[in-house]
Amino acid sequence: MTDLTGLTMAAALDGLAKKDFSSAELTAAYVTAMEKARPLNAYITETPDQALAMAKASDARRAKGESRAMDGLPLGIKDLYCTKGVQTTAGSHILGGFTPTYESTVTQKLWDAGAVMLGKLNLDEFAMGSANITSYYGTVESPWRKAGDNRPLVPGGSSGGSAAAVAAHAAIAATGTDTGGSIRQPASFTGIVGLKPTYGRCSRWGIVAFASSLDQAGPMTRSVTDAAIMMGVMAGYDAKDSTSVDIAVPDYRAALDGSVKGLRVGIPKEYRVDGMPAEIERQWQQGIAWLKEAGMEPVEVSLPHTKHALPTYYIIAPAEASSNLARYDGVRYGLRVEGDSLDKLYENTRAAGFGAEVKRRVLIGTYVLSAGYYDAYYLKAQKIRTLIADDFKKAYQQCDVILTPTSPSAAFALGEKMDDPVAMYMQDVFTVPANLAGIPGLSVPSGLSSDGLPLGLQVLGKAFDEETVLKVGRVIEKAAAFSTKPSFLAGE
């Protein structure tokens, strides 16, 4: 039989439809792969029994001719999505023992489409991080290694467990969330496809909040076609999310067949940052050449407020986090560390329950929201955010999509940058502007670094124009023909 875990979602759906194999067989192969991938620490909670039961139900539907859009496909779910009856930790000690009594809207849509849950994936605590090193449940290792160097590498963050599992073939695809690049940067680091949809395109209901005006759910897959399939299921209006936008969900997969000839691709001059490796610039130029060959016209555009994006993000995101995380107090759910007064219970629970990075961001956020500093920091950041969004609106008068590198580097070793928060924050320099502007962004693997590690190119689009973003991403995917497997899979 074919190596079932090597199939893309599209190929697996074809095989299931032709009865080459069953969902039970496909899921059993992934359960074995999930066990084999344990050294990567990609999963916090494995749910093999539930997965096999869901696969059996999928096979029964298919036998009756009632198959659905993602029937029988085994997914990993980032442990930020609430899953009914399965513990949800957000990678934090403070949510230890929390088992939701409800299902997030996005995961419910996936189950309604016939998908199978393999388990809950590791992440930076409360999605705060760029390397998946802040989780209470331990760091996640990338399935990749540098050529001639066996040091463990980071998978990127915060959706590092999702990226590692998909790249290591321990899930056919996974959900991620992206607040400042947490789908796209780990996708770039691990050689997979990651899509951050437009803010409001996918419901946030039932996803543990980090920064509510920035968070967005999205798919992490092995191909652009798979991202289109999964996006078609995840997207859609939800009355339970006040930021969800009530517009029709197009057929993303059908859009991939459209021509890109005559489309204009914007190249922002401000995205050449100091110290960016020459190989990142070369990869970018190669991407421009590929799109030109496909009939697209490169146009230089200016996003003048780009240099303010990171400081703006690191005021707004921690401010919203400090507000959102105030609900974790040891009273209603999760960890409780007793004290001799209510204040002491709060203090003890939060001291024991939150990790260092979460505490750092809560402190920054509380500071910028405090009476004497609100105008100087938070209000000013909101004004600059508006200017950044306006930059994109003006740029899109000259072009249809924008092409940039996804990350300023390839993956780095575990332990590097750990003691330098600013160096870690710089990992998001190319991804953060899209979150501040609320526009869609796609990372597509485009080549290898000199160390043999994946590099990604990022396609940014107009709000709610994921169709064009995916279509252009598919052109890059075809031209790059990226097929290198991580060293973790080298023996297969």
Side-chain angles (χ1 to χ4, degrees), residues 91-278:
S92 181
H93 186 33
I94 208 159
L95 273 174
F98 171 59
T99 303
T101 55
Y102 53 89
E103 191 76 33
S104 83
T105 297
V106 166
T107 48
Q108 189 61 57
K109 281 173 171 281
L110 291 167
W111 313 147
D112 289 347
V116 167
M117 181 167 81
L118 289 166
K120 304 296 291 293
L121 291 159
N122 208 340
L123 67 153
D124 280 301
E125 186 180 6
F126 282 104
M128 297 181 195
S130 302
N132 220 143
I133 56 174
T134 70
S135 171
Y136 175 73
Y137 297 91
T139 57
V140 176
E141 274 188 32
S142 171
W144 291 83
R145 291 287 183 274
K146 284 183 185 177
D149 183 347
N150 205 34
R151 284 182 302 163
L153 302 174
V154 302
S158 65
S159 307
S162 300
V166 174
H169 294 188
I172 201 164
T175 60
T177 61
D178 194 310
T179 305
S182 288
I183 286 174
R184 291 160 289 153
Q185 183 251 23
S188 177
F189 275 15
T190 56
I192 66 167
V193 172
L195 173 64
K196 180 205 94 71
T198 308
Y199 183 79
R201 176 61 97 177
C202 296
S203 172
R204 292 183 301 108
W205 193 85
I207 300 173
V208 177
F210 161 16
S212 302
S213 74
L214 299 162
D215 299 344
Q216 188 55 205
M220 301 180 75
T221 62
R222 282 186 231 148
S223 75
V224 173
T225 301
D226 287 2
I229 294 168
M230 198 163 163
M231 183 62 192
V233 171
M234 293 174 70
Y237 175 66
D238 178 15
K240 295 198 289 283
D241 175 5
S242 61
T243 62
S244 175
V245 178
D246 190 3
I247 57 173
V249 177
D251 185 338
Y252 295 113
R253 190 174 183 181
L256 297 178
D257 298 328
S259 170
V260 297
K261 202 167 184 181
L263 293 181
R264 292 163 302 166
V265 55
I267 312 300
K269 55 186 180 186
E270 292 82 5
Y271 274 54
R272 287 178 174 86
V273 297
D274 292 341
M276 186 170 84

Side-chain angles (χ1 to χ4, degrees), residues 23 144 169 190 252 273 306 312 326 369 431 433 441 472 489:
S23 176
W144 291 83
H169 294 188
T190 56
Y252 295 113
V273 297
T306 295
T312 299
L369 290 175
T431 51
V472 173
L489 294 173

Side-chain angles (χ1 to χ4, degrees), residues 41-91:
N41 199 31
Y43 283 88
I44 291 174
T45 304
E46 296 177 5
T47 57
D49 293 343
Q50 185 170 334
L52 292 166
M54 291 171 90
K56 201 173 166 187
S58 168
D59 287 334
R61 279 192 301 273
R62 201 173 284 279
K64 286 191 245 170
E66 297 170 0
S67 58
R68 302 170 185 174
M70 287 180 61
D71 231 324
L73 299 179
L75 306 179
I77 301 298
K78 184 176 182 177
D79 203 14
L80 208 60
Y81 290 74
C82 287
T83 42
K84 188 175 181 179
V86 178
Q87 79 158 355
T88 300
T89 69

